Amino acid sequence: MAGEDRAEGFEKSGDLDFPRPLTTVDVVIFSIRGDQLQVLLVRRPAGEDEPFPQALALPGGFVDVVKDRDLAACAARKLKEKTGVTAPYLEQLGSWGSASRDPRGWSATHAYFALIPEEAGALTPDARWFPIQGGRLKEKLAFDHSDILASAIQRLRNKVEYTSLPAYLMPAEFTLPDLQRVYEIVLDRPLEKSAFRTRILSADMIEPVAKMRRGPNRPAQLYRLKKNSKPVYFVRTFNPPE
Amino acid sequence: MAGEDRAEGFEKSGDLDFPRPLTTVDVVIFSIRGDQLQVLLVRRPAGEDEPFPQALALPGGFVDVVKDRDLAACAARKLKEKTGVTAPYLEQLGSWGSASRDPRGWSATHAYFALIPEEAGALTPDARWFPIQGGRLKEKLAFDHSDILASAIQRLRNKVEYTSLPAYLMPAEFTLPDLQRVYEIVLDRPLEKSAFRTRILSADMIEPVAKMRRGPNRPAQLYRLKKNSKPVYFVRTFNPPE
DNA sequence: CGAATAGTGTCTCTGAGACATTATAGC
DNA sequence: GCTATAATGTCTCAGAGACACTATTCG
């Protein structure tokens, strides 16, 4: 059955009649809400034969070989279904597959992570936002979703050190102090204003709009993301403390 | 058949009787041979009903739900089978899945990439090394393996700018000029000797052995990787030209 | 000695960190 | 004027780039 031939790499692939792992896609969806980094989670159904009934989980599910042309389309579909949003930023995170992660049998999930602005979309009723505090989620998740989420948080933090990713968490128009605040929320440490501004402005990723944000103090210049702006990679990280 | 319920994320998962994609693992194995970056490829079988008969491909194959505990173990097994080597460096690269990449049906592959030293292992007869020239392979590959390889090359080059990954391509003992040469081969551009040495030596990743490499000129200090040394991440990239 | 490569030193430049200073709004 | 926040400027420091210079072997 699960013999050598197959494992050696297609040598007898004319015969495709052997057990296949389950194939799923899960999406880690981040947003900034109320000055916190938050992640979108759904509650699993309650059925008798359900794995992890009622547990919290990442939005996701089985690949649909009819509806989904490829993995990215599948992830985009799940994102759209849960949030109404179409791909501001969607990146593949990695895959997790083993005999034990799903009680129903050998399964492999393709994990993606998405960044969306606070204003975006209309949630489905089964989905809720949960804050990431101290770089972690308090709640336990179904399957190995806690591992996947931890990996997503680490990847996000890492990349925020040397990329413009937080721009995708911003509303259409924002000020430089707004953007710096989002960097600081994700990294959970303060950044130097002066160095921050130099870095962002020299990256040619945002452009000023002819408006200012007014408040009880000096107004701030409003900016927007430049058209078709891909993420920018800086040649240095922010120097992590110590 | 491929209806909404399933796609919505396990909601009816009691019913697992629907088409599953094929699940494979492929490994991009790099080594330095004869002053070139090379990749290990196998030739596909010639059978009538084989996809891409006789074409070159990355080593890999179906996940074996009996033999393979998880994806990484599956990748390590394939690496071992083809090269006799056990994991000097093995990292997940990403996954590729679509309806069209394999003529036998919807399939998803989990791609890994491995770095091994030149001396290592005994190849199986169906595997051969092919040089990467100008950052690309001349040969066309089966499936979407050309895309996967291109992605692996890009990831490798990227990481070499700010990590110690090339250390895993080195023999047990090597000199600093040797190591610099490997960096230069992968990046395909010369590096400054002085800056290179400062960076590597301050990274605390290698240690001198009490030997010198002798030649027709001044001998060079031999080094080895420190025990259990994980890859080092530098806070700056080498400044790319222009 | 010369050739060749190993290894070090010097000078400049860029960008981050720290922190002071100036600017502009509301009250 | 006072307060609060936006925006800029100054000084220092680390590390890269460029390149000169010294060191050590063989022949």
Side-chain angles (χ1 to χ4, degrees):
Chain A
M1 267 272 68
E4 288 296 312
D5 296 321
R6 184 149 79 280
E8 289 298 318
F10 301 107
E11 274 87 353
K12 287 223 179 132
S13 51
D15 169 23
L16 293 172
D17 184 26
F18 53 83
R20 301 181 180 191
L22 292 162
T23 301
T24 61
V25 167
D26 293 304
V27 191
V28 183
I29 305 168
F30 289 116
S31 191
I32 300 285
R33 307 176 69 82
D35 246 34
Q36 284 186 310
L37 180 64
Q38 308 221 18
V39 62
L40 192 71
L41 300 175
V42 298
R43 199 164 285 283
R44 292 190 47 75
E48 275 290 311
D49 48 1
E50 287 288 344
F52 302 95
Q54 312 234 45
L56 287 170
L58 296 171
F62 295 111
V63 168
D64 186 317
V65 300
V66 174
K67 285 166 77 174
D68 297 316
R69 273 220 331 287
D70 57 36
L71 291 173
C74 179
R77 174 171 66 82
K78 288 171 194 306
L79 173 62
K80 178 77 183 292
E81 285 170 359
K82 291 297 169 194
T83 67
V85 170
T86 51
Y89 184 79
L90 185 62
E91 160 184 328
Q92 198 182 65
L93 178 62
S95 56
W96 279 254
S98 76
S100 58
R101 60 181 295 278
D102 188 321
R104 294 166 297 189
W106 222 106
S107 79
T109 194
H110 303 263
Y112 282 75
F113 93 84
L115 304 178
I116 67 176
E118 176 163 11
E119 342 120 26
L123 293 190
T124 49
D126 62 326
R128 272 186 50 211
W129 291 103
F130 290 81
I132 309 291
Q133 287 165 321
R136 27 185 319 160
L137 183 75
K138 281 186 177 154
E139 290 76 7
K140 293 275 171 242
L141 301 184
F143 305 103
D144 50 4
H145 288 190
S146 291
D147 295 339
I148 296 173
L149 175 58
S151 179
I153 294 169
Q154 202 186 341
R155 171 96 133 240
L156 175 62
R157 283 194 166 185
N158 238 316
K159 283 203 156 183
V160 166
E161 293 279 357
Y162 62 91
T163 70
S164 62
L165 283 203
Y168 299 103
L169 293 165
M170 306 304 292
E173 296 184 350
F174 55 89
T175 69
L176 278 177
D178 289 345
L179 182 58
Q180 181 174 350
R181 182 81 192 106
V182 170
Y183 270 84
E184 291 173 338
I185 289 169
V186 175
L187 293 177
D188 197 27
R189 73 168 194 266
L191 294 178
E192 279 306 313
K193 182 170 48 169
S194 173
F196 180 81
R197 296 175 68 93
T198 309
R199 168 179 283 208
I200 299 296
L201 290 175
S202 65
D204 190 44
M205 50 181 268
I206 60 177
E207 57 191 3
V209 299
K211 274 189 287 185
M212 308 289 279
R213 158 143 340 140
R214 314 185 68 82
N217 42 35
R218 177 170 173 178
Q221 179 64 53
L222 280 166
Y223 294 86
R224 68 172 168 226
L225 259 187
K226 284 198 174 179
K227 300 288 176 197
N228 86 357
S229 92
K230 297 203 182 300
V232 176
Y233 288 73
F234 305 107
V235 296
R236 296 197 197 176
T237 63
F238 287 111
N239 286 8
E242 150 273 5
Chain B
M1 266 266 73
E4 288 296 312
D5 296 321
R6 182 148 84 278
E8 288 298 318
F10 301 108
E11 273 87 353
K12 289 226 177 128
S13 51
D15 169 22
L16 294 172
D17 184 27
F18 53 83
R20 302 180 180 190
L22 292 162
T23 301
T24 61
V25 168
D26 293 304
V27 191
V28 184
I29 305 169
F30 289 117
S31 190
I32 300 285
R33 307 176 69 83
D35 247 32
Q36 283 185 310
L37 179 64
Q38 308 220 19
V39 62
L40 192 71
L41 300 176
V42 298
R43 198 164 284 283
R44 292 190 47 76
E48 274 291 311
D49 47 1
E50 287 287 345
F52 302 94
Q54 313 236 44
L56 286 171
L58 297 172
F62 295 111
V63 168
D64 186 317
V65 300
V66 174
K67 286 166 77 175
D68 296 317
R69 274 220 331 288
D70 56 38
L71 291 173
C74 179
R77 175 171 66 82
K78 287 171 195 306
L79 174 62
K80 178 77 182 292
E81 286 169 356
K82 291 298 170 195
T83 66
V85 170
T86 51
Y89 184 79
L90 186 61
E91 160 184 329
Q92 198 181 67
L93 178 63
S95 56
W96 278 256
S98 76
S100 56
R101 61 181 294 279
D102 188 320
R104 293 166 297 190
W106 222 107
S107 78
T109 194
H110 303 263
Y112 282 74
F113 92 85
L115 304 178
I116 67 176
E118 176 164 11
E119 343 120 26
L123 294 190
T124 50
D126 62 326
R128 271 186 51 211
W129 292 102
F130 290 81
I132 309 292
Q133 287 165 321
R136 26 186 320 159
L137 184 76
K138 280 185 177 154
E139 290 77 8
K140 293 275 170 244
L141 301 184
F143 305 104
D144 49 5
H145 287 190
S146 292
D147 294 340
I148 296 173
L149 175 58
S151 179
I153 294 169
Q154 201 187 340
R155 171 97 133 242
L156 177 61
R157 284 194 166 184
N158 238 316
K159 282 203 157 184
V160 166
E161 293 279 356
Y162 63 90
T163 70
S164 63
L165 282 203
Y168 299 103
L169 292 165
M170 306 305 290
E173 297 184 348
F174 55 89
T175 68
L176 278 177
D178 288 345
L179 182 58
Q180 181 174 349
R181 183 81 192 106
V182 171
Y183 270 83
E184 292 173 338
I185 288 169
V186 175
L187 294 177
D188 198 26
R189 73 168 195 266
L191 295 178
E192 279 305 313
K193 181 170 49 168
S194 173
F196 180 81
R197 297 174 68 92
T198 308
R199 168 179 284 209
I200 299 296
L201 290 175
S202 65
D204 189 44
M205 51 181 268
I206 61 177
E207 57 191 4
V209 298
K211 274 190 289 184
M212 306 292 277
R213 158 141 343 138
R214 313 186 69 81
N217 42 37
R218 176 171 175 177
Q221 179 64 53
L222 280 165
Y223 294 86
R224 66 172 169 226
L225 259 187
K226 286 199 174 178
K227 301 288 175 197
N228 86 357
S229 92
K230 297 203 182 301
V232 176
Y233 288 73
F234 306 106
V235 295
R236 296 196 198 177
T237 63
F238 287 112
N239 287 7
E242 149 276 4

